[in-house]
Amino acid sequence: LRNENKGASAPHYHQLERTNQMGNYKTPTNNLEAFTLALRLAVEAPNDDLSSKATAMAHSLAMLLTADQVNGVKAMLEAEAA
Protein backbone atom coordinates (compact mmCIF):
# COMPACT_ATOMS: atom_id res chain seq x y z
CA LEU A 1 0.00 0.00 0.00
CA ARG A 2 1.14 3.51 -0.73
CA ASN A 3 1.43 6.31 1.81
CA GLU A 4 0.70 8.98 -0.72
CA ASN A 5 -1.83 9.50 -3.43
CA LYS A 6 -0.21 10.21 -6.80
CA GLY A 7 -2.87 11.33 -9.23
CA ALA A 8 -5.60 8.99 -7.96
CA SER A 9 -8.89 10.46 -6.94
CA ALA A 10 -9.90 9.78 -3.35
CA PRO A 11 -13.54 9.09 -2.49
CA HIS A 12 -15.36 12.08 -1.15
CA TYR A 13 -16.58 12.01 2.44
CA HIS A 14 -20.03 13.14 1.30
CA GLN A 15 -20.38 9.80 -0.54
CA LEU A 16 -19.77 7.97 2.72
CA GLU A 17 -22.05 10.35 4.60
CA ARG A 18 -24.89 9.65 2.16
CA THR A 19 -24.27 5.90 2.46
CA ASN A 20 -23.93 6.09 6.22
CA GLN A 21 -27.54 7.18 6.58
CA MET A 22 -28.27 3.42 6.59
CA GLY A 23 -26.83 3.11 10.09
CA ASN A 24 -25.91 5.12 13.14
CA TYR A 25 -22.40 6.09 12.11
CA LYS A 26 -20.47 9.28 12.73
CA THR A 27 -19.53 11.14 9.55
CA PRO A 28 -15.80 10.57 8.97
CA THR A 29 -13.47 13.53 9.44
CA ASN A 30 -10.27 11.96 8.09
CA ASN A 31 -9.08 9.16 5.81
CA LEU A 32 -8.64 6.64 8.62
CA GLU A 33 -12.20 7.14 9.87
CA ALA A 34 -13.51 7.01 6.28
CA PHE A 35 -11.63 3.76 5.64
CA THR A 36 -13.03 2.23 8.84
CA LEU A 37 -16.56 3.26 7.90
CA ALA A 38 -16.20 1.97 4.34
CA LEU A 39 -15.10 -1.45 5.61
CA ARG A 40 -17.99 -1.56 8.09
CA LEU A 41 -20.44 -0.66 5.34
CA ALA A 42 -18.96 -3.27 3.00
CA VAL A 43 -19.65 -5.98 5.57
CA GLU A 44 -23.07 -4.70 6.65
CA ALA A 45 -24.43 -3.72 3.22
CA PRO A 46 -27.87 -5.15 2.47
CA ASN A 47 -26.87 -6.34 -1.02
CA ASP A 48 -23.85 -7.22 -3.14
CA ASP A 49 -23.95 -4.01 -5.18
CA LEU A 50 -23.69 -1.76 -2.13
CA SER A 51 -21.07 -4.03 -0.62
CA SER A 52 -18.99 -3.77 -3.80
CA LYS A 53 -19.26 0.02 -3.82
CA ALA A 54 -18.18 0.26 -0.17
CA THR A 55 -15.32 -2.18 -0.84
CA ALA A 56 -14.13 -0.02 -3.76
CA MET A 57 -14.21 3.07 -1.52
CA ALA A 58 -12.27 1.22 1.17
CA HIS A 59 -9.67 0.15 -1.38
CA SER A 60 -9.23 3.72 -2.63
CA LEU A 61 -8.94 5.05 0.91
CA ALA A 62 -6.42 2.34 1.84
CA MET A 63 -4.08 3.85 -0.74
CA LEU A 64 -3.95 7.00 1.39
CA LEU A 65 -3.03 5.18 4.61
CA THR A 66 0.01 3.34 5.88
CA ALA A 67 0.04 -0.45 5.93
CA ASP A 68 0.04 -0.31 9.74
CA GLN A 69 -3.11 1.84 9.74
CA VAL A 70 -4.89 -0.49 7.31
CA ASN A 71 -3.87 -3.60 9.25
CA GLY A 72 -4.86 -1.97 12.56
CA VAL A 73 -8.36 -1.22 11.31
CA LYS A 74 -8.73 -4.74 9.88
CA ALA A 75 -7.59 -6.28 13.19
CA MET A 76 -9.98 -4.07 15.17
CA LEU A 77 -12.96 -4.98 12.99
CA GLU A 78 -12.09 -8.69 13.07
CA ALA A 79 -11.87 -8.55 16.88
CA GLU A 80 -15.27 -6.83 17.05
CA ALA A 81 -16.79 -9.54 14.86
CA ALA A 82 -15.39 -12.38 16.96
Coordinates of all heavy atoms in Angstrom, one line a residue:
L1 N 0.8 -1.2 0.0 CA 0.0 0.0 0.0 C 0.9 1.2 0.0 O 1.9 1.3 0.6 CB -0.9 0.0 1.2 CG -1.9 -1.1 1.3 CD1 -2.6 -1.1 2.7 CD2 -2.9 -1.1 0.2
R2 N 0.4 2.3 -0.7 CA 1.1 3.5 -0.7 C 0.7 4.4 0.4 O -0.4 4.4 0.9 CB 0.9 4.2 -2.0 CG 1.3 3.4 -3.2 CD 1.1 4.2 -4.5 NE -0.1 5.0 -4.5 CZ -1.0 5.0 -5.5 NH1 -0.8 4.1 -6.5 NH2 -2.1 5.7 -5.4
N3 N 1.7 5.3 0.8 CA 1.4 6.3 1.8 C 0.9 7.6 1.2 O 0.3 8.4 1.9 CB 2.7 6.7 2.6 CG 3.1 5.6 3.5 OD1 2.3 4.7 3.8 ND2 4.4 5.6 3.9
E4 N 1.1 7.7 -0.1 CA 0.7 9.0 -0.7 C -0.2 8.7 -1.9 O -0.1 7.6 -2.5 CB 1.9 9.8 -1.1 CG 3.0 9.1 -1.9 CD 4.2 9.9 -2.0 OE1 4.9 10.1 -1.0 OE2 4.5 10.3 -3.1
N5 N -0.9 9.6 -2.3 CA -1.8 9.5 -3.4 C -1.3 10.3 -4.6 O -1.3 11.5 -4.6 CB -3.2 10.1 -3.0 CG -4.2 9.9 -4.1 OD1 -4.1 9.1 -5.0 ND2 -5.3 10.6 -3.9
K6 N -0.8 9.6 -5.6 CA -0.2 10.2 -6.8 C -1.2 10.2 -8.0 O -1.3 9.2 -8.6 CB 1.1 9.5 -7.2 CG 2.2 9.7 -6.1 CD 3.4 9.1 -6.6 CE 4.5 9.2 -5.5 NZ 5.8 8.6 -5.9
G7 N -2.0 11.2 -8.1 CA -2.9 11.3 -9.2 C -4.2 10.6 -9.1 O -5.1 10.8 -9.9
A8 N -4.3 9.7 -8.1 CA -5.6 9.0 -8.0 C -6.6 9.9 -7.2 O -6.3 10.7 -6.4 CB -5.4 7.7 -7.2
S9 N -7.8 9.7 -7.6 CA -8.9 10.5 -6.9 C -9.4 9.7 -5.7 O -9.9 8.6 -5.8 CB -10.0 10.7 -8.0 OG -11.1 11.3 -7.4
A10 N -9.4 10.4 -4.6 CA -9.9 9.8 -3.3 C -11.4 9.9 -3.3 O -12.0 10.9 -3.8 CB -9.3 10.5 -2.1
P11 N -12.1 9.0 -2.7 CA -13.5 9.1 -2.5 C -13.8 10.3 -1.6 O -13.1 10.7 -0.8 CB -13.9 7.8 -1.7 CG -12.8 6.9 -1.7 CD -11.6 7.8 -2.1
H12 N -15.0 10.9 -1.9 CA -15.4 12.1 -1.1 C -16.1 11.6 0.1 O -16.9 10.7 0.0 CB -16.2 13.0 -2.0 CG -15.5 13.5 -3.2 ND1 -14.5 14.5 -3.1 CD2 -15.5 13.2 -4.5 CE1 -14.0 14.8 -4.3 NE2 -14.6 13.9 -5.2
Y13 N -15.9 12.3 1.2 CA -16.6 12.0 2.4 C -18.1 12.1 2.3 O -18.8 11.4 2.9 CB -16.1 12.9 3.6 CG -14.7 12.6 4.0 CD1 -13.8 13.7 4.3 CD2 -14.2 11.4 4.1 CE1 -12.5 13.5 4.6 CE2 -12.9 11.1 4.4 CZ -12.0 12.2 4.7 OH -10.7 12.0 5.1
H14 N -18.6 13.0 1.4 CA -20.0 13.1 1.3 C -20.6 11.9 0.7 O -21.8 11.5 1.0 CB -20.4 14.4 0.5 CG -20.1 14.3 -1.0 ND1 -20.8 13.6 -1.9 CD2 -19.0 14.7 -1.7 CE1 -20.3 13.7 -3.1 NE2 -19.1 14.4 -3.0
Q15 N -19.9 11.1 -0.1 CA -20.4 9.8 -0.5 C -20.6 8.9 0.6 O -21.6 8.1 0.7 CB -19.4 9.2 -1.5 CG -19.3 9.9 -2.8 CD -18.3 9.4 -3.7 OE1 -17.2 9.0 -3.3 NE2 -18.5 9.3 -5.0
L16 N -19.6 8.8 1.5 CA -19.8 8.0 2.7 C -20.9 8.5 3.6 O -21.6 7.7 4.2 CB -18.5 7.9 3.5 CG -17.4 7.1 2.8 CD1 -16.0 7.3 3.6 CD2 -17.7 5.6 2.8
E17 N -21.0 9.8 3.7 CA -22.1 10.4 4.6 C -23.4 9.9 4.1 O -24.3 9.5 4.8 CB -21.9 11.9 4.6 CG -22.9 12.5 5.6 CD -22.7 14.0 5.7 OE1 -21.8 14.5 5.1 OE2 -23.5 14.6 6.3
R18 N -23.6 10.0 2.8 CA -24.9 9.6 2.2 C -25.1 8.2 2.4 O -26.2 7.8 2.8 CB -24.8 10.0 0.7 CG -26.2 9.8 0.0 CD -26.2 10.3 -1.5 NE -25.0 9.8 -2.2 CZ -24.2 10.6 -2.9 NH1 -24.3 11.9 -2.8 NH2 -23.2 10.1 -3.5
T19 N -24.1 7.3 2.2 CA -24.3 5.9 2.5 C -24.5 5.6 3.9 O -25.3 4.7 4.3 CB -23.0 5.2 2.0 OG1 -22.7 5.5 0.6 CG2 -23.1 3.7 2.1
N20 N -23.9 6.4 4.8 CA -23.9 6.1 6.2 C -25.3 6.4 6.8 O -25.6 6.0 8.0 CB -22.7 6.8 6.9 CG -23.0 7.9 7.9 OD1 -24.1 7.9 8.5 ND2 -22.1 8.7 8.1
Q21 N -26.2 7.0 6.1 CA -27.5 7.2 6.6 C -28.3 5.9 6.8 O -29.3 5.8 7.5 CB -28.3 8.1 5.6 CG -27.8 9.5 5.5 CD -28.4 10.3 4.4 OE1 -29.2 9.8 3.6 NE2 -28.0 11.5 4.3
M22 N -27.7 4.7 6.3 CA -28.3 3.4 6.6 C -28.1 3.0 8.1 O -28.9 2.3 8.6 CB -27.5 2.4 5.8 CG -27.7 2.5 4.3 SD -26.8 1.3 3.3 CE -25.9 0.3 4.4
G23 N -27.1 3.5 8.7 CA -26.8 3.1 10.1 C -26.6 4.3 11.0 O -26.7 5.5 10.5
N24 N -26.2 4.0 12.2 CA -25.9 5.1 13.1 C -24.4 5.3 13.2 O -23.8 5.1 14.2 CB -26.5 4.8 14.5 CG -28.0 4.7 14.5 OD1 -28.6 5.5 13.8 ND2 -28.5 3.7 15.2
Y25 N -23.8 5.9 12.2 CA -22.4 6.1 12.1 C -22.1 7.6 12.1 O -22.8 8.4 11.5 CB -21.8 5.5 10.8 CG -22.0 4.0 10.8 CD1 -22.8 3.4 9.9 CD2 -21.3 3.2 11.7 CE1 -23.0 2.0 9.8 CE2 -21.4 1.8 11.6 CZ -22.3 1.2 10.7 OH -22.4 -0.1 10.6
K26 N -21.0 7.9 12.7 CA -20.5 9.3 12.7 C -19.9 9.6 11.4 O -19.2 8.7 10.8 CB -19.4 9.4 13.8 CG -18.8 10.8 14.0 CD -17.8 10.7 15.1 CE -16.4 10.5 14.4 NZ -15.3 10.8 15.2
T27 N -20.1 10.7 10.8 CA -19.5 11.1 9.5 C -18.0 11.2 9.7 O -17.5 11.8 10.7 CB -20.1 12.5 9.1 OG1 -21.5 12.4 9.0 CG2 -19.5 12.9 7.8
P28 N -17.3 10.6 8.8 CA -15.8 10.6 9.0 C -15.2 12.0 8.8 O -15.7 12.8 8.0 CB -15.3 9.6 7.9 CG -16.4 9.6 6.9 CD -17.7 9.8 7.7
T29 N -14.1 12.2 9.5 CA -13.5 13.5 9.4 C -12.1 13.4 8.9 O -11.4 14.4 8.7 CB -13.4 14.2 10.8 OG1 -12.7 13.4 11.7 CG2 -14.8 14.5 11.3
N30 N -11.6 12.2 8.7 CA -10.3 12.0 8.1 C -10.3 10.6 7.3 O -11.2 9.9 7.4 CB -9.2 12.0 9.2 CG -9.4 11.0 10.3 OD1 -9.6 9.8 10.0 ND2 -9.4 11.4 11.5
N31 N -9.2 10.4 6.6 CA -9.1 9.2 5.8 C -9.2 7.9 6.6 O -9.7 6.9 6.1 CB -7.8 9.2 5.0 CG -7.8 10.3 3.9 OD1 -8.9 10.6 3.4 ND2 -6.7 10.7 3.5
L32 N -8.6 7.9 7.8 CA -8.6 6.6 8.6 C -10.1 6.3 9.0 O -10.5 5.2 9.0 CB -7.7 6.8 9.8 CG -7.6 5.6 10.7 CD1 -7.0 4.4 9.9 CD2 -6.7 5.9 11.9
E33 N -10.8 7.3 9.5 CA -12.2 7.1 9.9 C -13.0 6.7 8.7 O -13.9 5.9 8.7 CB -12.8 8.4 10.5 CG -12.3 8.7 11.9 CD -12.8 10.0 12.4 OE1 -13.7 10.7 11.7 OE2 -12.4 10.4 13.5
A34 N -12.8 7.3 7.5 CA -13.5 7.0 6.3 C -13.2 5.6 5.9 O -14.2 4.9 5.5 CB -13.2 8.0 5.2
F35 N -12.0 5.1 6.0 CA -11.6 3.8 5.6 C -12.4 2.8 6.6 O -12.9 1.8 6.1 CB -10.1 3.6 5.7 CG -9.6 2.2 5.6 CD1 -9.7 1.5 4.3 CD2 -9.1 1.4 6.6 CE1 -9.3 0.2 4.1 CE2 -8.7 0.1 6.5 CZ -8.8 -0.5 5.2
T36 N -12.4 3.1 7.9 CA -13.0 2.2 8.8 C -14.5 2.1 8.5 O -15.1 1.0 8.5 CB -12.8 2.8 10.3 OG1 -11.4 2.9 10.5 CG2 -13.5 1.9 11.3
L37 N -15.1 3.3 8.2 CA -16.6 3.3 7.9 C -16.8 2.5 6.6 O -17.8 1.7 6.5 CB -17.1 4.7 7.8 CG -18.5 4.9 7.4 CD1 -19.5 4.1 8.4 CD2 -18.9 6.3 7.3
A38 N -16.0 2.7 5.6 CA -16.2 2.0 4.3 C -16.1 0.5 4.5 O -16.9 -0.3 4.0 CB -15.2 2.4 3.3
L39 N -15.2 0.0 5.4 CA -15.1 -1.4 5.6 C -16.3 -1.9 6.4 O -16.9 -3.0 6.1 CB -13.8 -1.8 6.4 CG -12.5 -1.8 5.7 CD1 -11.4 -2.2 6.6 CD2 -12.6 -2.8 4.5
R40 N -16.8 -1.2 7.3 CA -18.0 -1.6 8.1 C -19.2 -1.7 7.1 O -20.0 -2.6 7.2 CB -18.3 -0.5 9.2 CG -17.4 -0.6 10.4 CD -17.9 0.4 11.4 NE -16.9 0.6 12.5 CZ -16.7 -0.2 13.5 NH1 -17.4 -1.3 13.6 NH2 -15.8 0.1 14.4
L41 N -19.3 -0.7 6.3 CA -20.4 -0.7 5.3 C -20.3 -1.8 4.3 O -21.4 -2.4 3.9 CB -20.5 0.7 4.6 CG -20.9 1.9 5.5 CD1 -20.8 3.2 4.7 CD2 -22.3 1.7 6.1
A42 N -19.1 -2.2 3.9 CA -19.0 -3.3 3.0 C -19.5 -4.6 3.6 O -20.1 -5.4 2.9 CB -17.5 -3.4 2.6
V43 N -19.2 -4.7 4.9 CA -19.7 -6.0 5.6 C -21.2 -6.0 5.8 O -21.8 -7.0 5.7 CB -18.9 -6.2 6.9 CG1 -19.4 -7.3 7.7 CG2 -17.4 -6.4 6.6
E44 N -21.7 -4.8 6.2 CA -23.1 -4.7 6.6 C -24.1 -4.3 5.5 O -25.3 -4.3 5.8 CB -23.2 -3.7 7.8 CG -22.4 -4.0 9.0 CD -22.4 -2.9 10.1 OE1 -23.1 -1.9 9.9 OE2 -21.6 -3.1 11.0
A45 N -23.6 -4.1 4.3 CA -24.4 -3.7 3.2 C -25.6 -4.7 3.0 O -25.3 -5.9 3.1 CB -23.6 -3.6 2.0
P46 N -26.7 -4.2 2.6 CA -27.9 -5.2 2.5 C -27.9 -5.9 1.2 O -28.6 -6.9 1.0 CB -29.1 -4.2 2.5 CG -28.5 -2.9 2.0 CD -27.1 -2.8 2.5
N47 N -26.9 -5.6 0.2 CA -26.9 -6.3 -1.0 C -25.4 -6.3 -1.6 O -24.6 -5.5 -1.1 CB -27.9 -5.8 -2.0 CG -27.7 -4.4 -2.4 OD1 -26.6 -4.0 -2.8 ND2 -28.8 -3.6 -2.2
D48 N -25.2 -7.1 -2.6 CA -23.8 -7.2 -3.1 C -23.4 -5.9 -3.8 O -22.2 -5.6 -3.8 CB -23.8 -8.4 -4.1 CG -23.8 -9.7 -3.4 OD1 -23.6 -9.8 -2.2 OD2 -24.1 -10.7 -4.1
D49 N -24.3 -5.2 -4.5 CA -24.0 -4.0 -5.2 C -23.4 -3.0 -4.2 O -22.4 -2.4 -4.4 CB -25.2 -3.5 -6.0 CG -24.8 -2.2 -6.8 OD1 -23.8 -2.3 -7.5 OD2 -25.5 -1.2 -6.6
L50 N -24.1 -2.7 -3.1 CA -23.7 -1.8 -2.1 C -22.4 -2.2 -1.4 O -21.5 -1.4 -1.1 CB -24.8 -1.5 -1.1 CG -26.0 -0.7 -1.6 CD1 -27.1 -0.6 -0.5 CD2 -25.6 0.7 -2.1
S51 N -22.3 -3.5 -1.2 CA -21.1 -4.0 -0.6 C -19.9 -3.8 -1.5 O -18.8 -3.4 -1.1 CB -21.2 -5.5 -0.3 OG -20.0 -6.0 0.2
S52 N -20.1 -4.0 -2.8 CA -19.0 -3.8 -3.8 C -18.6 -2.3 -3.9 O -17.4 -2.0 -3.9 CB -19.4 -4.2 -5.2 OG -19.6 -5.6 -5.2
K53 N -19.6 -1.4 -3.8 CA -19.3 0.0 -3.8 C -18.5 0.4 -2.6 O -17.5 1.2 -2.7 CB -20.5 0.8 -3.9 CG -21.2 0.7 -5.3 CD -22.5 1.5 -5.4 CE -23.1 1.3 -6.8 NZ -24.4 2.1 -6.9
A54 N -18.9 -0.1 -1.4 CA -18.2 0.3 -0.2 C -16.8 -0.3 -0.2 O -15.8 0.3 0.3 CB -19.0 -0.2 1.0
T55 N -16.6 -1.5 -0.7 CA -15.3 -2.2 -0.8 C -14.4 -1.4 -1.7 O -13.2 -1.2 -1.4 CB -15.5 -3.6 -1.4 OG1 -16.3 -4.4 -0.5 CG2 -14.1 -4.3 -1.5
A56 N -14.9 -0.9 -2.8 CA -14.1 0.0 -3.8 C -13.7 1.3 -3.1 O -12.5 1.7 -3.2 CB -14.9 0.3 -5.0
M57 N -14.6 1.9 -2.3 CA -14.2 3.1 -1.5 C -13.1 2.7 -0.5 O -12.2 3.5 -0.4 CB -15.4 3.6 -0.8 CG -16.2 4.6 -1.6 SD -17.4 5.5 -0.5 CE -18.9 4.7 -1.0
A58 N -13.3 1.6 0.2 CA -12.3 1.2 1.2 C -10.9 1.0 0.5 O -9.9 1.4 1.0 CB -12.7 0.0 1.9
H59 N -10.9 0.4 -0.7 CA -9.7 0.1 -1.4 C -9.0 1.5 -1.8 O -7.8 1.6 -1.6 CB -9.9 -0.7 -2.6 CG -8.7 -1.0 -3.4 ND1 -7.7 -1.9 -3.0 CD2 -8.2 -0.5 -4.6 CE1 -6.8 -1.9 -3.9 NE2 -7.0 -1.1 -4.8
S60 N -9.8 2.4 -2.3 CA -9.2 3.7 -2.6 C -8.7 4.5 -1.4 O -7.6 5.1 -1.5 CB -10.3 4.6 -3.3 OG -10.7 4.0 -4.5
L61 N -9.4 4.4 -0.3 CA -8.9 5.0 0.9 C -7.7 4.4 1.5 O -6.8 5.0 2.0 CB -10.1 5.1 1.9 CG -11.2 6.0 1.6 CD1 -12.5 5.7 2.4 CD2 -10.8 7.5 2.0
A62 N -7.6 3.1 1.3 CA -6.4 2.3 1.8 C -5.1 2.8 1.2 O -4.1 2.8 1.8 CB -6.6 0.8 1.6
M63 N -5.2 3.3 0.0 CA -4.1 3.8 -0.7 C -3.5 5.1 -0.1 O -2.4 5.5 -0.3 CB -4.4 4.2 -2.2 CG -4.9 3.0 -3.0 SD -3.6 2.0 -3.4 CE -4.4 0.9 -4.5
L64 N -4.4 5.8 0.7 CA -4.0 7.0 1.4 C -3.4 6.8 2.8 O -3.0 7.7 3.5 CB -5.2 8.0 1.5 CG -5.8 8.3 0.1 CD1 -7.1 9.1 0.4 CD2 -4.9 9.0 -0.8
L65 N -3.4 5.5 3.2 CA -3.0 5.2 4.6 C -1.8 4.3 4.6 O -1.4 3.8 3.6 CB -4.2 4.4 5.3 CG -5.5 5.1 5.4 CD1 -6.6 4.1 5.9 CD2 -5.5 6.3 6.2
T66 N -1.1 4.2 5.8 CA 0.0 3.3 5.9 C -0.5 1.9 6.0 O -1.6 1.7 6.4 CB 0.9 3.7 7.1 OG1 0.1 3.4 8.3 CG2 1.3 5.2 7.1
A67 N 0.4 1.0 5.8 CA 0.0 -0.5 5.9 C -0.3 -0.7 7.4 O -1.3 -1.5 7.6 CB 1.2 -1.3 5.5
D68 N 0.4 -0.1 8.3 CA 0.0 -0.3 9.7 C -1.4 0.2 10.1 O -2.1 -0.4 10.8 CB 1.1 0.4 10.6 CG 2.4 -0.3 10.7 OD1 2.5 -1.5 10.3 OD2 3.4 0.3 11.1
Q69 N -1.8 1.3 9.5 CA -3.1 1.8 9.7 C -4.2 0.9 9.2 O -5.1 0.6 9.8 CB -3.3 3.2 9.1 CG -2.5 4.3 9.8 CD -2.6 5.6 9.1 OE1 -2.4 5.7 7.9 NE2 -3.0 6.7 9.8
V70 N -3.9 0.4 8.0 CA -4.9 -0.5 7.3 C -5.0 -1.8 8.1 O -6.1 -2.3 8.4 CB -4.5 -0.8 5.9 CG1 -5.3 -1.9 5.3 CG2 -4.6 0.5 5.0
N71 N -3.9 -2.3 8.5 CA -3.9 -3.6 9.3 C -4.5 -3.4 10.6 O -5.1 -4.3 11.1 CB -2.5 -4.2 9.4 CG -2.0 -4.6 8.0 OD1 -2.7 -5.1 7.2 ND2 -0.7 -4.6 7.8
G72 N -4.3 -2.3 11.2 CA -4.9 -2.0 12.6 C -6.4 -1.9 12.5 O -7.1 -2.5 13.4
V73 N -6.9 -1.3 11.5 CA -8.4 -1.2 11.3 C -8.9 -2.6 11.1 O -9.9 -3.0 11.6 CB -8.8 -0.3 10.2 CG1 -10.2 -0.4 9.8 CG2 -8.4 1.2 10.6
K74 N -8.3 -3.4 10.2 CA -8.7 -4.7 9.9 C -8.7 -5.6 11.2 O -9.7 -6.3 11.4 CB -7.9 -5.4 8.8 CG -8.1 -4.8 7.4 CD -7.1 -5.5 6.5 CE -7.3 -5.0 5.1 NZ -6.3 -5.8 4.1
A75 N -7.7 -5.5 11.9 CA -7.6 -6.3 13.2 C -8.7 -5.9 14.2 O -9.3 -6.7 14.8 CB -6.2 -6.1 13.8
M76 N -8.9 -4.6 14.3 CA -10.0 -4.1 15.2 C -11.4 -4.6 14.8 O -12.1 -5.1 15.6 CB -10.0 -2.5 15.2 CG -11.1 -1.9 16.0 SD -11.3 -0.2 15.8 CE -11.9 -0.1 14.2
L77 N -11.7 -4.5 13.5 CA -13.0 -5.0 13.0 C -13.1 -6.5 13.1 O -14.2 -7.0 13.4 CB -13.2 -4.5 11.6 CG -13.3 -3.0 11.4 CD1 -13.4 -2.7 9.9 CD2 -14.4 -2.4 12.2
E78 N -12.0 -7.2 12.9 CA -12.1 -8.7 13.1 C -12.3 -9.0 14.5 O -13.1 -9.9 14.9 CB -10.8 -9.3 12.6 CG -10.7 -9.3 11.1 CD -9.3 -9.8 10.5 OE1 -8.4 -10.1 11.4 OE2 -9.2 -9.9 9.3
A79 N -11.7 -8.3 15.4 CA -11.9 -8.6 16.9 C -13.3 -8.2 17.3 O -13.9 -9.0 18.1 CB -10.9 -7.7 17.7
E80 N -13.9 -7.2 16.7 CA -15.3 -6.8 17.1 C -16.2 -7.9 16.6 O -17.2 -8.2 17.2 CB -15.6 -5.5 16.4 CG -15.0 -4.3 17.0 CD -15.4 -3.0 16.3 OE1 -16.2 -3.0 15.4 OE2 -14.8 -2.0 16.7
A81 N -15.9 -8.5 15.4 CA -16.8 -9.5 14.9 C -16.7 -10.9 15.6 O -17.6 -11.7 15.5 CB -16.5 -9.7 13.4
A82 N -15.6 -11.1 16.3 CA -15.4 -12.4 17.0 C -16.3 -12.6 18.2 O -16.8 -11.7 18.7 CB -13.9 -12.5 17.4

